[in-house]
Amino acid sequence: QRYSYIILIPMGCTLSAEATPPLPPTEDPDSGKHKVVIVGASFGGNGVIQGLLDGNDGEILSPSLHVTLLDANEEMSISAINQYVWTNRSSSTNNKVQSWPLSNLRAKRIVQDFRVGTAGTVQELNWDQKYLEMKDGKTIKWDTLVLAPGTVSDPSSVPGLDKAVGVIDLGASKDVSNMEKQMKKLLSNPCVPPRVVLVAVTRMPYKCPPMPFETVSLIDNVLRQAGEEVRQGVRVIISVPAEFPFGGPKVKEKFCKALKEMDIEFWPNHLITSMEHEQIVEDNDGDSVAASVSSMVHSHAYTVQFEVGEEKTEKSAEFDTLFCTFPQRAPDFVQKAGPCNKLGLIPVDLLTNGIEGHEDAYAIGDVCHTLLPKPNKPHPKAGEFAYMMGQQVAKHILARHDGKPEPAPQERKGKCVAEVGMKGNGIVVEPDFSAVLANPEEELPKFNVTEIGEAAVEKEAWINSYLERFFGKGNYELFVADN
């Protein structure tokens, strides 16, 4: 039996039950080979490529496969570098967000078909006829499909968020320059009453679980570097819609201890239900003035409504600056095709990442959603896990192609280096889901947590280690931070 494979790296999901008229395929290369189509050339897509290589001889793909790698972007960026930019620690790039051309990917030299930009942008996914319609008008057929397109921000799912001007999306590289501007405002003359900053997790799951805690600690450190008077003029708060959004009790203990030492307020079990934005500043006489005018007395710009705890107690609070993890959903072409759950993500099997209701189709990385059964919590979203999911999916693809039994569950261990200020301190969280994958109904995730110095250096090394995997040694520009 012949199988073809498509690997997509998704951003938003919805599948239509209605059959669409089939388009004649404009391309059907190597029709005798198994077609593997990979949509998304970031962590997840590169993980699939590496897994397919590992299943052969580690250097070239099996000659019985025809692999297509697609990506709507032409460059790769890694969100972990954003914090180095808005804290002015990236002088080697003139404090700009660094990116890397996908045309330099090692995978381009390995796969038979590589398309980025317009040629790599999927417009429509047809499940019945097993083809993709591309933005350039061409179609690509697959036998097995892997979706790894990432996600897109969905502010409309929090009432008022899409209309709240100036709210920073922590996961978006495009918002880094706006974050720099907001930090400059916070560093200006102290105000009466003190400015109030909220770093909020709006919905779960979200990308890179420690990121909001890194952000709030770095805000504290930037303010303290400007002087204690400046720091005392800003009240800093972090809110999450859970008791604690990731890790186990030891992880929570470490981070909460760090927050307390920095005089940062932690608001657990705070779900944002809506927000309003009013761009007003008052002068010393109480008259309204343009929001761009600096003043010693001000009114808060954002009013946020929360539901607190299991009782869902209503709470309202006002803030001057909002940094949020925005809700995420699959990209439009996935939303149109389905199947997405109420979160806007693709439900998949925990062990195989197979898409429910679609044989020989997989979703990996941020676009997928699956639960860890015993804790009844979603699998965390992080680039490293997307890469590992891709490797495991490749094993399943090869096993089906070769008529072999399903592969054993993989060892799935990660490492996350979280800065807790720029003094060099950090917390390393090492999650281990291996036992859960081996025995989902009985086992719980394990977490090792340690405090370290030179966290920024450790994080820089982690970033460069993945860049080397993706691009090959000496074939990419190193990420170098000011430490």
Side-chain angles (χ1 to χ4, degrees), residues 116-135:
V116 297
T118 299
T121 301
V122 181
Q123 293 283 77
E124 182 182 338
L125 163 59
N126 187 308
W127 287 108
D128 294 331
Q129 303 296 324
K130 286 194 170 185
Y131 71 80
L132 300 175
E133 183 177 352
M134 309 305 292
K135 190 174 182 179

Side-chain angles (χ1 to χ4, degrees), residues 152-164 167 169 202-203 272-275 324-330 332 335 342-344:
V152 295
S153 293
D154 183 23
S156 64
S157 60
V158 177
L161 178 57
D162 55 343
K163 298 180 177 64
V167 178
D169 182 352
T202 59
R203 295 291 185 269
I272 294 179
T273 56
S274 67
M275 64 176 64
C324 298
T325 63
F326 278 36
Q328 301 289 305
R329 65 166 177 83
D332 289 344
Q335 292 283 346
K342 63 180 181 181
L343 297 174

Side-chain angles (χ1 to χ4, degrees), residues 7 31 44 111 118 130 158 173 176 178 181 186 202 217 220 253 283 299 351 401 412 454-455 464:
I7 303 171
S31 58
V111 303
T118 299
K130 286 194 170 185
V158 177
S173 295
V176 172
N178 290 330
K181 293 175 184 177
L186 294 176
T202 59
S217 66
D220 169 81
E253 179 184 350
D283 63 18
S299 64
L351 301 183
H401 170 48
R412 190 170 294 175
E454 299 188 342
N464 283 316

